Amino acid sequence: MMWMVRILVLVLAPVVALAGGWAASYRLTDGVVAVTNTQANSTWAPVAVLWRFDEVTNAVVRVERVSQGTLFVLGVASVSNGTCAVWVPEAEYPFALGEVLRVGSTVTNGVVQVIRKGE
């Protein structure tokens, strides 16, 4: 499964670079990472979300959007006897001022990386 993540990163890297994107990594200490758009005059969209767990595990991972207080589920997947997961959106989800991308996992011993592009 790790080879899939490496291939995906190699495939996504040029896309992110051309789109003016950036990536940030967060510890899953509380099981949820919230990324809020705090920019009044710009939007961004997630390109991919990657989870890496410290050890082989079984987990449920989620990607959600919070817009004007309403929660929307963008994706849910199960990890069975694995160490990583990847979510690539099927559509573009632009995040405007105040909107939140919530990324979670039932297992908290890992790291999540959020790759975004500016719009």
Side-chain angles (χ1 to χ4, degrees):
M1 181 84 138
M2 192 61 178
W3 63 270
M4 289 174 51
V5 171
R6 289 185 185 131
I7 290 172
L8 185 61
V9 169
L10 290 174
V11 169
L12 286 176
V15 173
V16 172
L18 290 174
W22 68 98
S25 297
Y26 308 91
R27 290 290 311 165
L28 279 168
T29 307
D30 297 326
V32 176
V33 171
V35 181
T36 304
N37 185 348
T38 59
Q39 300 296 313
N41 298 315
S42 68
T43 61
W44 50 259
V47 175
V49 177
L50 298 88
W51 292 261
R52 183 184 52 80
F53 301 104
D54 296 339
E55 55 193 44
V56 174
T57 191
N58 297 316
V60 175
V61 295
R62 297 176 65 89
V63 179
E64 303 165 332
R65 172 191 197 120
V66 180
S67 180
Q68 299 179 4
T70 303
L71 180 84
F72 300 93
V73 177
L74 302 179
V76 178
S78 295
V79 176
S80 180
N81 199 28
T83 58
C84 57
V86 176
W87 175 77
V88 177
E90 295 177 11
E92 188 165 299
Y93 299 106
F95 282 71
L97 177 65
E99 294 183 317
V100 181
L101 175 68
R102 286 175 34 110
V103 178
S105 171
T106 56
V107 175
T108 60
N109 67 347
V111 175
V112 64
Q113 184 177 47
V114 177
I115 302 172
R116 300 177 280 175
K117 69 175 184 173
E119 300 199 348

